[in-house]
Short mmCIF file of all heavy atoms in Angstrom, two decimals:
data_model
loop_
_atom_site.label_atom_id
_atom_site.label_comp_id
_atom_site.label_asym_id
_atom_site.label_seq_id
_atom_site.Cartn_x
_atom_site.Cartn_y
_atom_site.Cartn_z
N ASP A 1 40.22 -82.15 157.95
CA ASP A 1 39.89 -83.60 158.23
C ASP A 1 39.38 -83.87 159.54
O ASP A 1 39.00 -84.94 160.01
CB ASP A 1 41.22 -84.45 158.01
CG ASP A 1 41.55 -84.60 156.62
OD1 ASP A 1 40.66 -84.41 155.76
OD2 ASP A 1 42.74 -84.77 156.31
N GLY A 2 39.26 -82.82 160.51
CA GLY A 2 38.84 -83.00 161.91
C GLY A 2 37.34 -82.59 162.02
O GLY A 2 36.74 -82.10 160.93
N THR A 3 36.80 -82.68 163.12
CA THR A 3 35.39 -82.18 163.39
C THR A 3 35.37 -81.17 164.60
O THR A 3 34.29 -80.90 165.13
CB THR A 3 34.42 -83.42 163.75
OG1 THR A 3 35.16 -84.13 164.81
CG2 THR A 3 34.26 -84.25 162.51
N ALA A 4 36.49 -80.57 164.92
CA ALA A 4 36.56 -79.60 166.04
C ALA A 4 35.61 -78.48 165.65
O ALA A 4 35.64 -77.81 164.54
CB ALA A 4 37.93 -79.00 166.14
N SER A 5 34.60 -78.15 166.52
CA SER A 5 33.71 -77.20 166.47
C SER A 5 33.75 -76.39 167.80
O SER A 5 34.06 -76.89 168.88
CB SER A 5 32.32 -77.55 166.33
OG SER A 5 32.23 -78.32 165.03
N PRO A 6 33.32 -75.07 167.80
CA PRO A 6 33.46 -74.32 168.97
C PRO A 6 32.36 -74.88 170.06
O PRO A 6 31.33 -75.28 169.72
CB PRO A 6 32.99 -72.93 168.62
CG PRO A 6 33.25 -72.89 167.16
CD PRO A 6 33.08 -74.17 166.58
N THR A 7 32.81 -74.97 171.30
CA THR A 7 31.85 -75.38 172.39
C THR A 7 31.90 -74.04 173.24
O THR A 7 32.82 -73.49 173.67
CB THR A 7 32.42 -76.56 173.19
OG1 THR A 7 32.37 -77.69 172.30
CG2 THR A 7 31.46 -76.75 174.47
N VAL A 8 30.66 -73.72 173.68
CA VAL A 8 30.49 -72.53 174.44
C VAL A 8 29.92 -72.88 175.82
O VAL A 8 28.94 -73.58 176.00
CB VAL A 8 29.57 -71.51 173.76
CG1 VAL A 8 29.46 -70.30 174.58
CG2 VAL A 8 29.99 -71.17 172.35
N GLY A 9 30.66 -72.36 176.86
CA GLY A 9 30.18 -72.68 178.31
C GLY A 9 29.17 -71.68 178.70
O GLY A 9 28.91 -70.69 178.06
N SER A 10 28.52 -72.04 179.87
CA SER A 10 27.44 -71.14 180.33
C SER A 10 27.97 -69.75 180.68
O SER A 10 26.95 -68.85 180.70
CB SER A 10 26.83 -71.93 181.57
OG SER A 10 27.75 -72.10 182.59
N ASP A 11 29.08 -69.63 180.91
CA ASP A 11 29.64 -68.15 181.11
C ASP A 11 30.03 -67.43 179.90
O ASP A 11 30.50 -66.31 179.92
CB ASP A 11 30.81 -68.25 182.12
CG ASP A 11 31.97 -69.05 181.61
OD1 ASP A 11 31.71 -69.73 180.52
OD2 ASP A 11 32.97 -69.14 182.23
N GLY A 12 29.84 -68.06 178.77
CA GLY A 12 30.21 -67.50 177.46
C GLY A 12 31.53 -67.80 176.92
O GLY A 12 31.91 -67.34 175.87
N ASP A 13 32.46 -68.55 177.63
CA ASP A 13 33.72 -68.79 177.38
C ASP A 13 33.63 -69.80 176.01
O ASP A 13 32.71 -70.65 175.93
CB ASP A 13 34.60 -69.48 178.34
CG ASP A 13 34.98 -68.49 179.37
OD1 ASP A 13 34.64 -67.22 179.28
OD2 ASP A 13 35.79 -68.79 180.19
N VAL A 14 34.64 -69.78 175.05
CA VAL A 14 34.57 -70.43 173.97
C VAL A 14 35.79 -71.36 173.86
O VAL A 14 36.91 -70.98 174.18
CB VAL A 14 34.56 -69.50 172.67
CG1 VAL A 14 34.53 -70.31 171.40
CG2 VAL A 14 33.42 -68.57 172.68
N PHE A 15 35.57 -72.57 173.57
CA PHE A 15 36.74 -73.59 173.42
C PHE A 15 36.82 -74.18 172.12
O PHE A 15 35.80 -74.51 171.40
CB PHE A 15 36.45 -74.80 174.41
CG PHE A 15 36.24 -74.35 175.94
CD1 PHE A 15 35.02 -74.01 176.33
CD2 PHE A 15 37.46 -74.30 176.70
CE1 PHE A 15 34.91 -73.51 177.75
CE2 PHE A 15 37.27 -73.70 178.09
CZ PHE A 15 36.05 -73.35 178.53
N PHE A 16 38.01 -74.27 171.46
CA PHE A 16 38.15 -74.65 170.09
C PHE A 16 39.37 -75.38 169.87
O PHE A 16 40.51 -74.97 170.41
CB PHE A 16 38.15 -73.46 169.15
CG PHE A 16 38.04 -73.94 167.80
CD1 PHE A 16 37.08 -74.56 167.16
CD2 PHE A 16 39.13 -73.57 166.94
CE1 PHE A 16 37.04 -75.06 165.78
CE2 PHE A 16 39.22 -73.86 165.60
CZ PHE A 16 38.17 -74.62 165.04
N GLY A 17 39.44 -76.47 169.29
CA GLY A 17 40.59 -77.31 169.04
C GLY A 17 41.30 -77.08 167.74
O GLY A 17 40.62 -77.05 166.76
N VAL A 18 42.68 -77.05 167.83
CA VAL A 18 43.49 -76.91 166.56
C VAL A 18 44.62 -78.06 166.60
O VAL A 18 44.88 -78.57 167.70
CB VAL A 18 44.05 -75.41 166.50
CG1 VAL A 18 42.93 -74.44 166.30
CG2 VAL A 18 44.95 -75.19 167.74
N LEU A 19 45.32 -78.10 165.61
CA LEU A 19 46.55 -79.03 165.59
C LEU A 19 47.75 -78.02 165.68
O LEU A 19 47.82 -76.94 165.38
CB LEU A 19 46.69 -79.68 164.24
CG LEU A 19 45.96 -81.06 164.13
CD1 LEU A 19 46.00 -81.56 162.74
CD2 LEU A 19 46.58 -82.05 165.22
N GLU A 20 48.89 -78.55 166.41
CA GLU A 20 49.96 -77.87 166.93
C GLU A 20 50.81 -77.56 165.71
O GLU A 20 50.86 -78.31 164.70
CB GLU A 20 50.67 -78.65 168.03
CG GLU A 20 51.39 -79.85 167.45
CD GLU A 20 50.61 -81.11 167.51
OE1 GLU A 20 49.42 -81.11 167.53
OE2 GLU A 20 51.16 -82.18 167.49
N GLN A 21 51.69 -76.56 165.93
CA GLN A 21 52.75 -76.36 165.15
C GLN A 21 53.99 -75.90 166.00
O GLN A 21 53.85 -75.22 166.96
CB GLN A 21 52.52 -74.99 164.13
CG GLN A 21 51.51 -75.23 163.12
CD GLN A 21 52.01 -76.04 162.01
OE1 GLN A 21 52.89 -76.78 162.03
NE2 GLN A 21 51.25 -75.85 160.89
N PRO A 22 55.25 -76.49 165.73
CA PRO A 22 55.52 -77.39 164.66
C PRO A 22 54.75 -78.60 164.56
O PRO A 22 54.25 -79.19 165.66
CB PRO A 22 57.03 -77.67 164.79
CG PRO A 22 57.52 -76.60 165.76
CD PRO A 22 56.37 -76.20 166.54
N TRP A 23 54.51 -79.09 163.43
CA TRP A 23 53.68 -80.36 163.10
C TRP A 23 54.24 -81.46 163.93
O TRP A 23 55.39 -81.85 163.85
CB TRP A 23 53.78 -80.51 161.64
CG TRP A 23 52.81 -81.60 161.01
CD1 TRP A 23 53.32 -82.76 160.53
CD2 TRP A 23 51.44 -81.54 161.00
NE1 TRP A 23 52.22 -83.47 160.07
CE2 TRP A 23 51.13 -82.83 160.39
CE3 TRP A 23 50.50 -80.67 161.33
CZ2 TRP A 23 49.70 -83.12 160.08
CZ3 TRP A 23 49.11 -80.86 161.00
CH2 TRP A 23 48.79 -82.17 160.40
N GLY A 24 53.29 -82.05 164.74
CA GLY A 24 53.63 -83.27 165.54
C GLY A 24 54.34 -82.97 166.88
O GLY A 24 54.79 -83.83 167.58
N ALA A 25 54.69 -81.67 167.14
CA ALA A 25 55.32 -81.39 168.38
C ALA A 25 54.63 -81.78 169.63
O ALA A 25 55.29 -82.09 170.78
CB ALA A 25 55.61 -79.84 168.46
N ASN A 26 53.32 -82.09 169.53
CA ASN A 26 52.53 -82.54 170.65
C ASN A 26 51.91 -83.83 170.48
O ASN A 26 50.77 -84.17 170.81
CB ASN A 26 51.48 -81.48 171.04
CG ASN A 26 50.84 -81.66 172.40
OD1 ASN A 26 51.54 -82.09 173.34
ND2 ASN A 26 49.62 -81.28 172.61
N HIS A 27 52.69 -84.62 169.68
CA HIS A 27 52.21 -85.98 169.29
C HIS A 27 50.93 -86.00 168.54
O HIS A 27 50.12 -86.82 168.57
CB HIS A 27 51.95 -86.88 170.64
CG HIS A 27 53.26 -86.93 171.35
ND1 HIS A 27 53.38 -87.68 172.64
CD2 HIS A 27 54.64 -86.55 171.19
CE1 HIS A 27 54.55 -87.55 173.21
NE2 HIS A 27 55.32 -86.89 172.31
N PHE A 28 50.69 -85.00 167.84
CA PHE A 28 49.54 -84.83 166.94
C PHE A 28 48.23 -84.77 167.84
O PHE A 28 47.11 -84.98 167.34
CB PHE A 28 49.43 -85.83 165.92
CG PHE A 28 50.55 -85.71 164.80
CD1 PHE A 28 51.64 -86.58 164.93
CD2 PHE A 28 50.61 -84.73 163.86
CE1 PHE A 28 52.57 -86.42 163.98
CE2 PHE A 28 51.51 -84.63 162.94
CZ PHE A 28 52.61 -85.48 162.87
N ARG A 29 48.45 -84.38 169.07
CA ARG A 29 47.31 -84.28 169.96
C ARG A 29 46.61 -82.86 169.76
O ARG A 29 45.43 -82.76 170.20
CB ARG A 29 47.61 -84.37 171.45
CG ARG A 29 48.18 -85.81 171.69
CD ARG A 29 48.54 -85.74 173.29
NE ARG A 29 49.42 -84.84 173.70
CZ ARG A 29 49.52 -84.43 175.00
NH1 ARG A 29 48.80 -84.85 175.90
NH2 ARG A 29 50.40 -83.45 175.21
N GLY A 30 47.25 -81.94 169.25
CA GLY A 30 46.74 -80.56 168.95
C GLY A 30 46.68 -79.79 170.33
O GLY A 30 47.30 -80.25 171.27
N ARG A 31 45.95 -78.76 170.26
CA ARG A 31 45.77 -77.94 171.46
C ARG A 31 44.24 -77.51 171.56
O ARG A 31 43.64 -77.19 170.54
CB ARG A 31 46.50 -76.58 171.40
CG ARG A 31 48.00 -76.76 170.87
CD ARG A 31 48.98 -77.17 172.01
NE ARG A 31 50.39 -77.15 171.44
CZ ARG A 31 51.25 -77.70 172.18
NH1 ARG A 31 51.15 -78.46 173.24
NH2 ARG A 31 52.51 -77.59 171.57
N LEU A 32 43.76 -77.45 172.80
CA LEU A 32 42.37 -77.02 173.05
C LEU A 32 42.40 -75.49 173.47
O LEU A 32 42.90 -75.23 174.61
CB LEU A 32 41.68 -77.77 173.97
CG LEU A 32 40.18 -77.30 174.24
CD1 LEU A 32 39.32 -77.46 173.12
CD2 LEU A 32 39.57 -78.21 175.48
N LEU A 33 42.09 -74.51 172.55
CA LEU A 33 42.20 -73.17 172.93
C LEU A 33 41.09 -72.64 173.77
O LEU A 33 40.01 -73.21 173.48
CB LEU A 33 42.39 -72.33 171.61
CG LEU A 33 43.53 -72.83 170.66
CD1 LEU A 33 43.64 -71.88 169.45
CD2 LEU A 33 44.97 -72.80 171.56
N HIS A 34 41.23 -71.68 174.54
CA HIS A 34 40.36 -71.13 175.45
C HIS A 34 40.19 -69.61 175.37
O HIS A 34 41.22 -68.96 175.39
CB HIS A 34 40.77 -71.55 176.94
CG HIS A 34 39.68 -71.16 177.96
ND1 HIS A 34 40.00 -71.27 179.25
CD2 HIS A 34 38.33 -70.68 177.87
CE1 HIS A 34 38.94 -70.74 180.09
NE2 HIS A 34 38.07 -70.48 179.15
N PHE A 35 39.00 -69.13 175.06
CA PHE A 35 38.76 -67.71 174.84
C PHE A 35 37.54 -67.25 175.67
O PHE A 35 36.70 -68.00 176.10
CB PHE A 35 38.46 -67.37 173.38
CG PHE A 35 39.51 -67.92 172.45
CD1 PHE A 35 39.26 -69.12 171.79
CD2 PHE A 35 40.69 -67.19 172.17
CE1 PHE A 35 40.13 -69.60 170.87
CE2 PHE A 35 41.51 -67.66 171.21
CZ PHE A 35 41.30 -68.80 170.63
#
C-alpha cells in the first residue's frame, strides 16, 4: 500500500523505507534503511 522505492545517492548508497515490526512499535512511521 506504500510507494517506497529505492533512492540512490551520488556515492552509490541505497536508501529504502519499510514498516516496523512489531507492528506499530514506531507509531507506524516505519524505518528508512541505509545500505
Side-chain angles (χ1 to χ4, degrees):
D1 287 337
T3 52
S5 298
T7 296
V8 183
S10 57
D11 57 356
D13 283 6
V14 182
F15 303 90
F16 183 67
V18 296
L19 275 168
E20 72 270 18
Q21 291 283 22
W23 188 246
N26 196 33
H27 302 177
F28 295 102
R29 297 184 302 157
R31 317 278 188 193
L32 179 62
L33 305 183
H34 182 188
F35 307 95

